[in-house]
Amino acid sequence: MSESTSAGSPALPGIASVLRFSTELIAWVAAPWALASHSPWLAAASVVVLISLPTLLSTPGDKNSVLVPVPGYVTIGLVIMQLVAAVVSAWVAWLPAIAIAVSVLAAATVVTELPRWRWLATAPARPAPQALR
């Protein structure tokens, strides 16, 4: 949840990180819950996708550890994927009151993520080469 960042990314630990991580956790629970009645395999695949893609793919400068560098728009897309999975799955699997709360959380996450998304929108997949000392 708390991400050490470099290269000017506004993804500092704070309310945006807490909201984003909370929404991710909900997606990880709600998506397989919503899909389990259709296919246990699909439910398991949803967890693998929702957890593994953001773990493997990240934008240099947004996090210190980057396994597979991707442009910022990919990171934005992964966050949106988590948000959509959380909201849609909550509406499918849970009571309306809970789904409304998840929807409000997702909306708050979007608002707090906007500074990071603005930065990510211009972030390349690979950092600029450093000058030799």
Side-chain angles (χ1 to χ4, degrees):
M1 176 172 63
S2 64
E3 304 160 358
S4 296
T5 61
S6 59
S9 170
L12 301 174
I15 190 68
S17 294
V18 170
L19 295 176
R20 183 176 64 248
F21 186 68
S22 299
T23 307
E24 288 172 353
L25 285 175
I26 291 169
W28 300 345
V29 172
W33 194 323
L35 294 170
S37 64
H38 300 290
S39 166
W41 292 106
L42 192 55
S46 73
V47 174
V48 170
V49 168
L50 289 170
I51 293 174
S52 65
L53 285 182
T55 301
L56 294 173
L57 308 174
S58 52
T59 303
D62 190 42
K63 296 181 181 178
N64 279 340
S65 63
V66 175
L67 297 176
V68 179
V70 295
Y73 65 84
V74 174
T75 300
I76 295 169
L78 292 172
V79 174
I80 292 171
M81 174 188 70
Q82 299 271 358
L83 293 169
V84 169
V87 171
V88 171
S89 299
W91 281 101
V92 170
W94 297 336
L95 298 172
I98 297 170
I100 289 169
V102 171
S103 299
V104 169
L105 174 65
T109 301
V110 169
V111 170
T112 60
E113 281 285 291
L114 288 177
R116 177 174 175 246
W117 289 358
R118 282 187 200 101
W119 179 85
L120 284 168
T122 62
R126 302 229 183 259
Q130 298 291 328
L132 296 176
R133 294 181 190 198

